[in-house]
Amino acid sequence: MHSKLTDHIKKFIELTEADEQLINSAVVVKTVKKKAFLLQPDHICKELYFVSNGCLRLYFINKKLNEQITQFAIENWWLTDYVSLDSGSPSFYYIQAIENTEVISITKSKLEELFIAVPKLERYFRIVQQRAFAAAQTRIKYIYSMSDEERYWHFNSLFPAFMQRIPQYMLASYLGFTPQFMSKIRAKKG
Amino acid sequence: MHSKLTDHIKKFIELTEADEQLINSAVVVKTVKKKAFLLQPDHICKELYFVSNGCLRLYFINKKLNEQITQFAIENWWLTDYVSLDSGSPSFYYIQAIENTEVISITKSKLEELFIAVPKLERYFRIVQQRAFAAAQTRIKYIYSMSDEERYWHFNSLFPAFMQRIPQYMLASYLGFTPQFMSKIRAKKG
DNA sequence: CTGTTTTATTAATCTTGATTCATTTTTTGA
DNA sequence: TCAAAAAATGAATCAAGATTAATAAAACAG
């Protein structure tokens, strides 16, 4: 019994058939239509989402009442509001499907049970979290070492396929500038 | 046999006396004089540092040849360049002591051995990494929802004691603006 | 102590990217 | 298939914070 999730886990640790069954019976597969929400502000985030198919965005509404995207998640990425999940405090975020999406969802409490039943999963999540933090370190470095225009071209060169997949205004939001400024940049070079 | 590190670990998981001995014999205590370096660019980062006393900063030199600080670490915080550590690629960063500092240092390879000898340490590091990532999520939210001036006052209200501890120009660097702008802000209100 | 380095301040000018508002193009759903 | 909504573009003006340059104050080493 395998799933996109256990396939992913097996890239990092070994799983027995029994482990896989424990994992797959702890999770729930959810199909999320484009524009549907998995999390909304003021709700307490109780689940982690592993994208098996499609694309999610994490965003909040800023003081100017604009959507500010802070993360995307595509296939094989985990997404959740760890602040709300860890502390039990209400979230400030929306998690929304950008495309029709399939996620493998696990609740915080089921995950804690799973860590007891399959302790080596701690290792998998330790590695995943370490990589996520490394990515965040790198992102903060980019934020503080490139202008907005440079970050646009940089993102462009690193993830051309992803850029085809999302509306431009969402990338502008993620990169922290306005759609108008993005048009200006694009008009210049290409 | 305890240390500041095992005390910290015991806040998250239980350790036997034997576990503690294994941990403490895998690590090395280093005293780092103010302004001394634990990591410099072009070197491959092979160690993780747990600050038992003092204060470190992680920074790189940006295109304008200024120091850009991206992280601080005080007592009970881990600091390393996870990108270089994970991938074995040369680092872009400096890790430098801001004060005379004592760190508990462990190499990547010793840590891997320790994970085999004391598997429950995976859980400790999983939790530590998850919190670090949650902090990074929050930081990115602040970067994209407050002006530089707002972030200054916000930091000021959250960490007044830490502000006493570091030169102002380092905080300006961490917050992503110039010392001149910081003086302007301070002259206004406080 | 005292000269030197490090840190902080002030002010004038300049730049990047925001804002506002209008228009055009593309996508979507009934 | 076509109206309506969503997404992208364009241009004029504006503002937050950078740059430059000079000075002042504090910390430090010999």
Side-chain angles (χ1 to χ4, degrees):
Chain A
M1 186 165 119
H2 78 107
S3 65
K4 289 236 183 169
L5 175 55
T6 53
D7 288 350
H8 188 250
I9 295 172
K10 283 187 283 186
K11 290 179 188 164
F12 299 92
I13 61 171
E14 288 183 10
L15 292 180
T16 65
E17 186 60 35
D19 292 334
E20 292 199 46
Q21 292 205 2
L22 281 165
I23 293 166
N24 286 323
S25 60
V27 303
V28 174
V29 175
K30 294 187 179 180
T31 52
V32 196
K33 284 214 183 109
K34 184 174 177 174
K35 296 194 180 172
F37 294 99
L38 285 166
L39 174 65
Q40 291 190 263
D42 303 323
H43 289 76
I44 292 162
C45 182
K46 298 196 144 85
E47 297 179 329
L48 301 89
Y49 303 107
F50 177 84
V51 179
S52 47
N53 218 300
C55 185
L56 303 176
R57 64 171 178 154
L58 180 80
Y59 71 92
F60 64 95
I61 302 296
N62 66 18
K63 281 175 204 153
K64 294 162 194 159
L65 304 182
N66 296 319
E67 293 172 359
Q68 175 62 56
I69 297 174
T70 56
Q71 281 174 254
F72 294 109
I74 58 170
E75 289 79 9
N76 288 351
W77 284 82
W78 285 93
L79 186 66
T80 195
D81 174 357
Y82 286 103
V83 174
S84 174
L85 190 88
D86 280 350
S87 69
S89 58
S91 181
F92 295 105
Y93 293 96
Y94 296 85
I95 293 178
Q96 187 189 35
I98 297 178
E99 310 165 356
N100 290 331
T101 296
E102 188 188 80
V103 300
I104 297 176
S105 167
I106 184 164
T107 63
K108 180 184 176 177
S109 58
K110 280 278 181 190
L111 182 59
E112 278 300 339
E113 289 172 23
L114 204 50
F115 281 139
I116 293 163
V118 189
K120 60 190 160 185
L121 274 182
E122 298 272 11
R123 179 174 176 84
Y124 165 73
F125 278 98
R126 198 262 304 160
I127 294 168
V128 164
Q129 291 293 353
Q130 191 162 316
R131 289 178 175 220
F133 183 73
Q137 275 191 324
T138 299
R139 181 168 172 205
I140 285 172
K141 181 169 187 291
Y142 288 149
I143 290 172
Y144 286 128
S145 62
M146 296 183 196
S147 68
D148 287 3
E149 177 165 4
E150 284 170 328
R151 280 212 313 291
Y152 171 79
W153 293 113
H154 182 251
F155 193 95
N156 209 285
S157 68
L158 285 184
F159 311 110
F162 182 68
M163 292 208 34
Q164 299 305 107
R165 220 168 141 173
I166 57 161
Q168 287 175 22
Y169 77 92
M170 287 194 188
L171 180 59
S173 171
Y174 176 77
L175 294 176
F177 51 73
T178 60
Q180 290 90 329
F181 182 64
M182 186 151 176
S183 282
K184 204 194 266 185
I185 291 172
R186 291 161 61 84
K188 276 204 264 186
K189 281 212 208 170
Chain B
M1 187 166 118
H2 78 109
S3 65
K4 287 235 184 173
L5 175 56
T6 52
D7 288 348
H8 188 251
I9 295 172
K10 282 187 282 186
K11 289 178 189 166
F12 300 92
I13 61 171
E14 288 183 11
L15 293 179
T16 65
E17 187 60 35
D19 293 333
E20 292 198 47
Q21 292 206 2
L22 281 164
I23 293 165
N24 286 323
S25 60
V27 303
V28 175
V29 174
K30 294 187 180 179
T31 51
V32 197
K33 282 212 186 114
K34 184 174 177 173
K35 296 195 181 173
F37 294 99
L38 285 166
L39 174 67
Q40 290 190 262
D42 303 324
H43 289 74
I44 293 163
C45 182
K46 297 195 144 83
E47 297 180 328
L48 300 90
Y49 304 108
F50 177 85
V51 179
S52 48
N53 218 300
C55 184
L56 303 175
R57 63 172 179 154
L58 180 80
Y59 71 93
F60 65 96
I61 303 294
N62 66 18
K63 282 175 201 151
K64 294 162 194 158
L65 304 182
N66 295 319
E67 296 173 357
Q68 175 62 58
I69 298 173
T70 57
Q71 283 174 251
F72 294 108
I74 57 169
E75 289 78 9
N76 289 349
W77 285 82
W78 285 94
L79 187 66
T80 194
D81 173 359
Y82 286 103
V83 173
S84 174
L85 190 88
D86 281 349
S87 69
S89 58
S91 181
F92 296 105
Y93 294 95
Y94 297 85
I95 293 178
Q96 188 188 35
I98 298 178
E99 310 165 356
N100 291 331
T101 296
E102 187 187 81
V103 300
I104 297 175
S105 167
I106 183 162
T107 64
K108 181 185 175 174
S109 58
K110 280 278 180 190
L111 183 59
E112 279 299 339
E113 289 172 25
L114 205 50
F115 282 139
I116 292 162
V118 188
K120 60 191 160 186
L121 274 182
E122 298 273 10
R123 179 175 175 83
Y124 165 73
F125 278 97
R126 199 261 306 161
I127 294 168
V128 164
Q129 291 293 354
Q130 189 163 317
R131 288 178 176 220
F133 182 73
Q137 275 192 325
T138 299
R139 181 168 171 204
I140 286 172
K141 180 169 188 289
Y142 289 149
I143 290 173
Y144 286 130
S145 62
M146 295 184 197
S147 68
D148 287 4
E149 177 166 4
E150 285 170 328
R151 280 211 312 292
Y152 171 79
W153 293 114
H154 182 250
F155 193 96
N156 207 285
S157 68
L158 285 183
F159 310 112
F162 182 68
M163 292 209 35
Q164 297 305 108
R165 220 168 141 172
I166 58 163
Q168 287 176 23
Y169 77 92
M170 288 197 188
L171 179 59
S173 171
Y174 176 78
L175 294 177
F177 52 73
T178 59
Q180 291 88 329
F181 182 63
M182 186 151 173
S183 280
K184 203 194 267 185
I185 291 171
R186 291 162 59 83
K188 275 204 265 187
K189 280 214 211 169

